Amino acid sequence: MQEFVNLDALDLRLLAALQEDGRLTNQQAGERIGLSPSQCSRRRLALEAAGLIRGYHAELAAEPLGLKLLVFVQVTLATHSRDNAQRFRELVGRLEEVQEAYAMTGDADYLLKAVVPDLKDLAALVNDVLLPHESVARVRSSIVLERLKESHRLPLKALRRGG
Amino acid sequence: MQEFVNLDALDLRLLAALQEDGRLTNQQAGERIGLSPSQCSRRRLALEAAGLIRGYHAELAAEPLGLKLLVFVQVTLATHSRDNAQRFRELVGRLEEVQEAYAMTGDADYLLKAVVPDLKDLAALVNDVLLPHESVARVRSSIVLERLKESHRLPLKALRRGG
DNA sequence: GTCTCTTCGCATGCTCCTTGCGCCACCGGT
DNA sequence: ACCGGTGGCGCAAGGAGCATGCGAAGAGAC
């Protein structure tokens, strides 16, 4: 794993191609960015070794799987002691419904993004898990009505060279 | 593409394995869930054809790429006319920094999740792009201080059979 | 000009994917 | 109890893809 990465245009295009389609063949990726399959393989291995590619994942369809609700939950801690923060951290780590959890600026301390089958499960999550937890003081949940855009792609075009 | 999907335990385990590692070999996946590579391949193709797997993506590392800021932006529209909503939809669709955009319950109309290199770019996004846009009335952004959890895996264990 | 370092494409041995095939376990009807 | 149908399974083989050794070509230092 090299310490300082310097990416050229080909690397960026390869990263873009792979975050678009993670199962691209070196051959296909090579055609797309203008490189031979072998060189494509080498560059991809280098990008993985450099830690720029953190993994490959299948993106599943939530709706047909019966996970119909996407919810953002703002959480305020009871106290801001180190212990409390640690307990809360462990809690969200354990909860499978919580896809993402961030410490934020603004009103609430934390923002959670959770996926649940329906309102009943949301109620259970909030009332039976989050609120009773010793570390939590207040909870405010907002339900997603419509998904306008949902991509996990990083804006690579915004990068100045040598990022 | 079959209309009604009925998943058994093997399908669910395969989905779980693939959202964990999207580049799993049919052989590797088979070992993990207890199935032969050929059957694994068949089930995977079926899941893809059924639309339960929406794609495979490389997960890139934002930080070393110079994308140091993750931001949530709450947006309130000027008017709630259909035209305005459509204009806003086109705007967020165009913006590469905006990874996700949702219409929400709660105070604000929309919640955006955006990735930018630094505060300068955030200011540019808010002040030069969002706020001047005709459809937008108010904008409130919250910066992510720390990422406690960041996985895009759906909670498959929460599913009742036959989802 | 020459030397060196890097990056490239080609060739190749090895792994992996997919699909045809036959087998078996289960099920409903008689 | 029997039996034909159905669906899911593993095996095998042909074709595709991956990674790496190798030589060639270009950039930069002096």
Side-chain angles (χ1 to χ4, degrees):
Chain A
M1 182 172 323
Q2 40 189 344
E3 192 62 41
F4 295 110
V5 197
N6 224 344
L7 302 170
D8 63 7
L10 286 172
D11 288 316
L12 284 177
R13 280 201 277 168
L14 181 53
L15 287 174
L18 286 174
Q19 80 173 338
E20 194 80 23
D21 181 354
R23 277 183 99 78
L24 272 183
T25 287
N26 286 328
Q27 199 164 301
Q28 297 169 315
E31 288 172 14
R32 190 177 293 200
I33 71 177
L35 214 52
S36 72
S38 58
Q39 194 60 13
C40 223
S41 168
R42 273 187 281 254
R43 276 177 182 264
R44 188 151 64 83
L45 292 176
L47 290 172
E48 290 169 4
L52 293 177
I53 296 179
R54 292 175 51 174
Y56 299 88
H57 307 283
E59 178 195 0
L60 306 187
E63 171 91 12
L65 283 168
L67 297 165
K68 304 213 194 299
L69 237 44
L70 178 57
V71 194
F72 284 89
V73 184
Q74 289 177 294
V75 176
T76 305
L77 287 201
T79 75
H80 292 77
S81 67
R82 184 168 299 276
D83 266 15
N84 234 6
Q86 185 57 32
R87 274 193 288 271
F88 182 69
R89 191 181 308 258
E90 285 165 10
L91 175 64
V92 301
R94 244 197 337 269
L95 294 176
E96 249 197 297
E97 309 94 303
V98 175
Q99 284 188 313
E100 307 171 29
Y102 305 104
M104 307 281 299
T105 67
D107 322 315
D109 298 322
Y110 295 98
L111 180 64
L112 313 184
K113 179 178 167 188
V115 176
V116 289
D118 53 36
L119 282 172
K120 188 167 49 58
D121 301 270
L122 172 59
L125 174 64
V126 171
N127 295 324
D128 302 344
V129 180
L130 291 177
L131 273 178
H133 194 266
E134 49 186 355
S135 66
V136 173
R138 267 188 318 149
V139 161
R140 210 177 61 160
S141 55
S142 303
I143 297 177
V144 167
L145 296 173
E146 188 192 355
R147 312 183 185 206
L148 276 65
K149 184 176 189 177
E150 208 166 23
S151 99
H152 303 299
R153 284 159 215 154
L154 296 181
L156 297 181
K157 282 175 191 151
L159 295 181
R160 302 95 181 89
R161 205 57 45 77
Chain B
M1 179 168 331
Q2 41 189 344
E3 191 61 42
F4 295 110
V5 197
N6 225 344
L7 302 171
D8 63 7
L10 286 173
D11 287 316
L12 284 177
R13 280 201 277 168
L14 181 53
L15 287 174
L18 286 174
Q19 79 174 337
E20 194 80 23
D21 181 354
R23 278 183 98 78
L24 274 183
T25 287
N26 286 327
Q27 198 164 299
Q28 297 168 316
E31 288 173 15
R32 191 177 293 201
I33 71 177
L35 213 52
S36 71
S38 57
Q39 194 59 13
C40 224
S41 168
R42 274 187 281 253
R43 289 178 96 110
R44 189 151 65 82
L45 292 176
L47 291 171
E48 289 169 4
L52 293 177
I53 298 179
R54 291 174 52 175
Y56 299 88
H57 307 283
E59 178 194 359
L60 306 187
E63 171 89 14
L65 282 169
L67 297 165
K68 303 215 194 297
L69 236 45
L70 178 58
V71 194
F72 285 88
V73 184
Q74 290 177 296
V75 176
T76 305
L77 288 201
T79 76
H80 293 76
S81 67
R82 182 168 300 278
D83 266 15
N84 232 7
Q86 185 57 32
R87 274 194 288 271
F88 183 70
R89 191 180 309 259
E90 284 164 11
L91 175 64
V92 300
R94 244 196 338 268
L95 294 176
E96 248 197 297
E97 311 93 304
V98 176
Q99 285 189 311
E100 306 172 29
Y102 305 105
M104 307 281 299
T105 67
D107 322 315
D109 298 324
Y110 295 99
L111 180 65
L112 313 184
K113 180 178 167 188
V115 176
V116 289
D118 53 36
L119 282 172
K120 189 166 49 57
D121 302 270
L122 172 58
L125 174 65
V126 171
N127 296 325
D128 303 344
V129 180
L130 290 177
L131 272 178
H133 195 265
E134 48 186 357
S135 66
V136 173
R138 266 188 317 151
V139 161
R140 210 177 60 161
S141 55
S142 303
I143 298 175
V144 167
L145 296 173
E146 189 191 352
R147 312 182 184 206
L148 276 65
K149 184 176 190 177
E150 207 165 24
S151 99
H152 303 299
R153 285 160 214 154
L154 296 181
L156 296 181
K157 283 176 189 148
L159 296 181
R160 304 94 180 86
R161 204 58 45 76

